[in-house]
Amino acid sequence: MTRILVTGASRGIGAAIVATLDQPGISVASHATRQGLAFDLAEADAPARLWDAAVHQLGGVDVLINNAGIFEANPLDGDDADWSAGWARTLQVNLTASAELCRRAVLAWQREGRRGRIVNVASRAAYRGDSPAHWHYAASKAGMVAVTKTIARGYAREGILAFAICPGFTMTGMADDYLASRGGDKLLADIPLGRVAEPAEVASVARYLALEAPASMTGAVIDVNGASYVR
């Protein structure tokens, strides 16, 4: 039995990941803010409580998929305190909480002497940046990629593997709102494929990395953005 913790599983990419993992031999603990393992990752102690709850539910965790994230505008000309608070909240949810879950996973696998996998859902913004109101979002996702690569380099010999996915626009609630606010047709013109990704497409990559990707792929960052950013 492969035991998997998926964060941010209430909708969009997270829900699609849980759906693609619904098969014999896999047990999933789903994190969301209102259902499943309901913890608000904006709270400093939430990652630790979430990890403990998942271990209790599953009897251990073999794969961690960090998908939870927020995408909140933070205008440059906003109030100083609000701007700083926006940075703190986004970094806590998108980066620090994910890093804390990664830490607990690595420590558990080391303590138990077994292998494990981490899949971090980052963003195209990690490489090409984002809008002027989303400095903090781009920074949080770039940090997520850096954490992934550091884990991959640091623990590969112990059988602990780490991968990242960098979607572009994906048809989720967050993307719908953003596309509408920025002029959807203009943004779609920047995607050579001509459409945004479906959550199931990102989920299929997450499933592959979680279950099937060869060990030599550790540290890989997979783009799912319709060729809107290639590197």
mmCIF file of all heavy atoms in Angstrom, residues 151-176:
data_model
loop_
_atom_site.group_PDB
_atom_site.id
_atom_site.type_symbol
_atom_site.label_atom_id
_atom_site.label_comp_id
_atom_site.label_asym_id
_atom_site.label_seq_id
_atom_site.Cartn_x
_atom_site.Cartn_y
_atom_site.Cartn_z
ATOM 1 N N ILE A 151 16.387 19.419 -1.771
ATOM 2 C CA ILE A 151 16.053 18.114 -1.206
ATOM 3 C C ILE A 151 16.560 16.995 -2.117
ATOM 4 O O ILE A 151 17.150 16.006 -1.652
ATOM 5 C CB ILE A 151 14.535 17.994 -0.995
ATOM 6 C CG1 ILE A 151 14.081 18.950 0.115
ATOM 7 C CG2 ILE A 151 14.137 16.552 -0.643
ATOM 8 C CD1 ILE A 151 12.576 19.076 0.233
ATOM 9 N N ALA A 152 16.360 17.152 -3.414
ATOM 10 C CA ALA A 152 16.800 16.126 -4.360
ATOM 11 C C ALA A 152 18.308 15.900 -4.259
ATOM 12 O O ALA A 152 18.775 14.747 -4.233
ATOM 13 C CB ALA A 152 16.414 16.528 -5.780
ATOM 14 N N ARG A 153 19.063 16.977 -4.197
ATOM 15 C CA ARG A 153 20.514 16.858 -4.128
ATOM 16 C C ARG A 153 20.983 16.320 -2.777
ATOM 17 O O ARG A 153 21.968 15.598 -2.681
ATOM 18 C CB ARG A 153 21.163 18.218 -4.394
ATOM 19 C CG ARG A 153 21.057 18.669 -5.846
ATOM 20 C CD ARG A 153 21.667 20.055 -6.050
ATOM 21 N NE ARG A 153 23.054 20.115 -5.611
ATOM 22 C CZ ARG A 153 24.094 19.703 -6.332
ATOM 23 N NH1 ARG A 153 23.899 19.178 -7.538
ATOM 24 N NH2 ARG A 153 25.324 19.813 -5.862
ATOM 25 N N GLY A 154 20.253 16.661 -1.729
ATOM 26 C CA GLY A 154 20.715 16.323 -0.401
ATOM 27 C C GLY A 154 20.430 14.906 0.053
ATOM 28 O O GLY A 154 21.159 14.372 0.902
ATOM 29 N N TYR A 155 19.365 14.279 -0.498
ATOM 30 C CA TYR A 155 18.907 13.022 0.096
ATOM 31 C C TYR A 155 18.711 11.892 -0.907
ATOM 32 O O TYR A 155 18.165 10.839 -0.561
ATOM 33 C CB TYR A 155 17.605 13.267 0.876
ATOM 34 C CG TYR A 155 17.745 14.413 1.849
ATOM 35 C CD1 TYR A 155 17.212 15.661 1.545
ATOM 36 C CD2 TYR A 155 18.452 14.260 3.031
ATOM 37 C CE1 TYR A 155 17.373 16.732 2.423
ATOM 38 C CE2 TYR A 155 18.628 15.319 3.906
ATOM 39 C CZ TYR A 155 18.081 16.555 3.600
ATOM 40 O OH TYR A 155 18.262 17.609 4.455
ATOM 41 N N ALA A 156 19.180 12.077 -2.143
ATOM 42 C CA ALA A 156 18.990 11.049 -3.167
ATOM 43 C C ALA A 156 19.626 9.723 -2.759
ATOM 44 O O ALA A 156 19.057 8.646 -3.005
ATOM 45 C CB ALA A 156 19.552 11.525 -4.500
ATOM 46 N N ARG A 157 20.786 9.772 -2.146
ATOM 47 C CA ARG A 157 21.480 8.537 -1.755
ATOM 48 C C ARG A 157 20.690 7.745 -0.711
ATOM 49 O O ARG A 157 20.935 6.554 -0.522
ATOM 50 C CB ARG A 157 22.875 8.847 -1.228
ATOM 51 C CG ARG A 157 23.849 9.295 -2.313
ATOM 52 C CD ARG A 157 25.252 9.451 -1.760
ATOM 53 N NE ARG A 157 26.162 9.932 -2.782
ATOM 54 C CZ ARG A 157 26.797 9.162 -3.663
ATOM 55 N NH1 ARG A 157 26.594 7.841 -3.638
ATOM 56 N NH2 ARG A 157 27.616 9.688 -4.549
ATOM 57 N N GLU A 158 19.769 8.422 -0.030
ATOM 58 C CA GLU A 158 18.948 7.743 0.967
ATOM 59 C C GLU A 158 17.624 7.240 0.387
ATOM 60 O O GLU A 158 16.762 6.738 1.116
ATOM 61 C CB GLU A 158 18.663 8.687 2.139
ATOM 62 C CG GLU A 158 19.921 9.164 2.850
ATOM 63 C CD GLU A 158 19.624 10.221 3.882
ATOM 64 O OE1 GLU A 158 18.833 9.937 4.809
ATOM 65 O OE2 GLU A 158 20.164 11.339 3.770
ATOM 66 N N GLY A 159 17.461 7.411 -0.925
ATOM 67 C CA GLY A 159 16.226 6.973 -1.558
ATOM 68 C C GLY A 159 15.081 7.946 -1.393
ATOM 69 O O GLY A 159 13.921 7.595 -1.608
ATOM 70 N N ILE A 160 15.400 9.187 -1.016
ATOM 71 C CA ILE A 160 14.377 10.228 -0.870
ATOM 72 C C ILE A 160 14.439 11.101 -2.114
ATOM 73 O O ILE A 160 15.457 11.759 -2.376
ATOM 74 C CB ILE A 160 14.622 11.045 0.407
ATOM 75 C CG1 ILE A 160 14.457 10.140 1.633
ATOM 76 C CG2 ILE A 160 13.661 12.233 0.472
ATOM 77 C CD1 ILE A 160 14.866 10.776 2.941
ATOM 78 N N LEU A 161 13.369 11.093 -2.883
ATOM 79 C CA LEU A 161 13.325 11.765 -4.184
ATOM 80 C C LEU A 161 12.410 12.978 -4.122
ATOM 81 O O LEU A 161 11.436 12.993 -3.365
ATOM 82 C CB LEU A 161 12.823 10.801 -5.256
ATOM 83 C CG LEU A 161 13.479 9.415 -5.307
ATOM 84 C CD1 LEU A 161 12.853 8.575 -6.418
ATOM 85 C CD2 LEU A 161 14.992 9.518 -5.483
ATOM 86 N N ALA A 162 12.719 13.979 -4.931
ATOM 87 C CA ALA A 162 11.903 15.206 -4.951
ATOM 88 C C ALA A 162 11.755 15.705 -6.378
ATOM 89 O O ALA A 162 12.725 15.735 -7.144
ATOM 90 C CB ALA A 162 12.528 16.282 -4.070
ATOM 91 N N PHE A 163 10.537 16.117 -6.700
ATOM 92 C CA PHE A 163 10.215 16.611 -8.034
ATOM 93 C C PHE A 163 9.337 17.854 -7.900
ATOM 94 O O PHE A 163 8.657 18.031 -6.888
ATOM 95 C CB PHE A 163 9.432 15.570 -8.836
ATOM 96 C CG PHE A 163 10.023 14.188 -8.812
ATOM 97 C CD1 PHE A 163 9.635 13.275 -7.841
ATOM 98 C CD2 PHE A 163 10.953 13.793 -9.755
ATOM 99 C CE1 PHE A 163 10.160 11.996 -7.807
ATOM 100 C CE2 PHE A 163 11.491 12.514 -9.736
ATOM 101 C CZ PHE A 163 11.102 11.613 -8.754
ATOM 102 N N ALA A 164 9.330 18.681 -8.930
ATOM 103 C CA ALA A 164 8.431 19.843 -8.952
ATOM 104 C C ALA A 164 7.704 19.904 -10.280
ATOM 105 O O ALA A 164 8.211 19.456 -11.311
ATOM 106 C CB ALA A 164 9.199 21.134 -8.704
ATOM 107 N N ILE A 165 6.508 20.464 -10.235
ATOM 108 C CA ILE A 165 5.710 20.710 -11.438
ATOM 109 C C ILE A 165 5.468 22.210 -11.517
ATOM 110 O O ILE A 165 5.135 22.851 -10.522
ATOM 111 C CB ILE A 165 4.353 19.990 -11.369
ATOM 112 C CG1 ILE A 165 4.536 18.502 -11.083
ATOM 113 C CG2 ILE A 165 3.569 20.185 -12.676
ATOM 114 C CD1 ILE A 165 3.234 17.760 -10.815
ATOM 115 N N CYS A 166 5.634 22.767 -12.713
ATOM 116 C CA CYS A 166 5.396 24.201 -12.906
ATOM 117 C C CYS A 166 4.286 24.403 -13.936
ATOM 118 O O CYS A 166 4.561 24.545 -15.139
ATOM 119 C CB CYS A 166 6.676 24.905 -13.356
ATOM 120 S SG CYS A 166 7.853 25.196 -12.025
ATOM 121 N N PRO A 167 3.037 24.408 -13.480
ATOM 122 C CA PRO A 167 1.946 24.685 -14.419
ATOM 123 C C PRO A 167 1.931 26.167 -14.810
ATOM 124 O O PRO A 167 2.387 27.032 -14.056
ATOM 125 C CB PRO A 167 0.688 24.345 -13.615
ATOM 126 C CG PRO A 167 1.170 23.619 -12.392
ATOM 127 C CD PRO A 167 2.543 24.134 -12.136
ATOM 128 N N GLY A 168 1.383 26.425 -15.987
ATOM 129 C CA GLY A 168 1.017 27.790 -16.319
ATOM 130 C C GLY A 168 -0.414 27.984 -15.849
ATOM 131 O O GLY A 168 -0.818 27.458 -14.818
ATOM 132 N N PHE A 169 -1.196 28.751 -16.606
ATOM 133 C CA PHE A 169 -2.600 28.888 -16.245
ATOM 134 C C PHE A 169 -3.282 27.531 -16.321
ATOM 135 O O PHE A 169 -3.115 26.787 -17.272
ATOM 136 C CB PHE A 169 -3.312 29.874 -17.182
ATOM 137 C CG PHE A 169 -2.891 31.295 -16.989
ATOM 138 C CD1 PHE A 169 -2.292 32.001 -18.018
ATOM 139 C CD2 PHE A 169 -3.081 31.918 -15.764
ATOM 140 C CE1 PHE A 169 -1.896 33.311 -17.826
ATOM 141 C CE2 PHE A 169 -2.687 33.224 -15.567
ATOM 142 C CZ PHE A 169 -2.090 33.926 -16.609
ATOM 143 N N THR A 170 -4.026 27.229 -15.294
ATOM 144 C CA THR A 170 -4.775 25.983 -15.232
ATOM 145 C C THR A 170 -6.222 26.333 -14.908
ATOM 146 O O THR A 170 -6.480 27.272 -14.153
ATOM 147 C CB THR A 170 -4.192 25.049 -14.161
ATOM 148 O OG1 THR A 170 -2.793 24.878 -14.421
ATOM 149 C CG2 THR A 170 -4.864 23.693 -14.190
ATOM 150 N N MET A 171 -7.160 25.604 -15.459
ATOM 151 C CA MET A 171 -8.564 25.955 -15.322
ATOM 152 C C MET A 171 -9.079 25.638 -13.915
ATOM 153 O O MET A 171 -9.781 24.673 -13.681
ATOM 154 C CB MET A 171 -9.408 25.223 -16.376
ATOM 155 C CG MET A 171 -10.798 25.821 -16.529
ATOM 156 S SD MET A 171 -10.783 27.624 -16.792
ATOM 157 C CE MET A 171 -10.029 27.751 -18.402
ATOM 158 N N THR A 172 -8.668 26.480 -12.979
ATOM 159 C CA THR A 172 -9.138 26.395 -11.596
ATOM 160 C C THR A 172 -9.827 27.702 -11.245
ATOM 161 O O THR A 172 -9.811 28.658 -12.023
ATOM 162 C CB THR A 172 -7.961 26.179 -10.623
ATOM 163 O OG1 THR A 172 -7.149 27.359 -10.624
ATOM 164 C CG2 THR A 172 -7.111 24.994 -11.048
ATOM 165 N N GLY A 173 -10.392 27.766 -10.064
ATOM 166 C CA GLY A 173 -11.043 28.999 -9.636
ATOM 167 C C GLY A 173 -10.091 30.178 -9.623
ATOM 168 O O GLY A 173 -10.436 31.279 -10.044
ATOM 169 N N MET A 174 -8.855 29.955 -9.153
ATOM 170 C CA MET A 174 -7.875 31.032 -9.100
ATOM 171 C C MET A 174 -7.571 31.545 -10.502
ATOM 172 O O MET A 174 -7.512 32.745 -10.744
ATOM 173 C CB MET A 174 -6.580 30.563 -8.427
ATOM 174 C CG MET A 174 -6.676 30.353 -6.941
ATOM 175 S SD MET A 174 -5.058 30.162 -6.151
ATOM 176 C CE MET A 174 -4.394 28.735 -6.992
ATOM 177 N N ALA A 175 -7.360 30.615 -11.443
ATOM 178 C CA ALA A 175 -7.021 31.017 -12.801
ATOM 179 C C ALA A 175 -8.186 31.716 -13.483
ATOM 180 O O ALA A 175 -8.000 32.678 -14.234
ATOM 181 C CB ALA A 175 -6.577 29.801 -13.611
ATOM 182 N N ASP A 176 -9.402 31.243 -13.246
ATOM 183 C CA ASP A 176 -10.584 31.879 -13.838
ATOM 184 C C ASP A 176 -10.655 33.348 -13.447
ATOM 185 O O ASP A 176 -10.867 34.232 -14.292
ATOM 186 C CB ASP A 176 -11.864 31.179 -13.354
ATOM 187 C CG ASP A 176 -12.009 29.788 -13.929
ATOM 188 O OD1 ASP A 176 -11.307 29.482 -14.907
ATOM 189 O OD2 ASP A 176 -12.831 29.025 -13.401
#
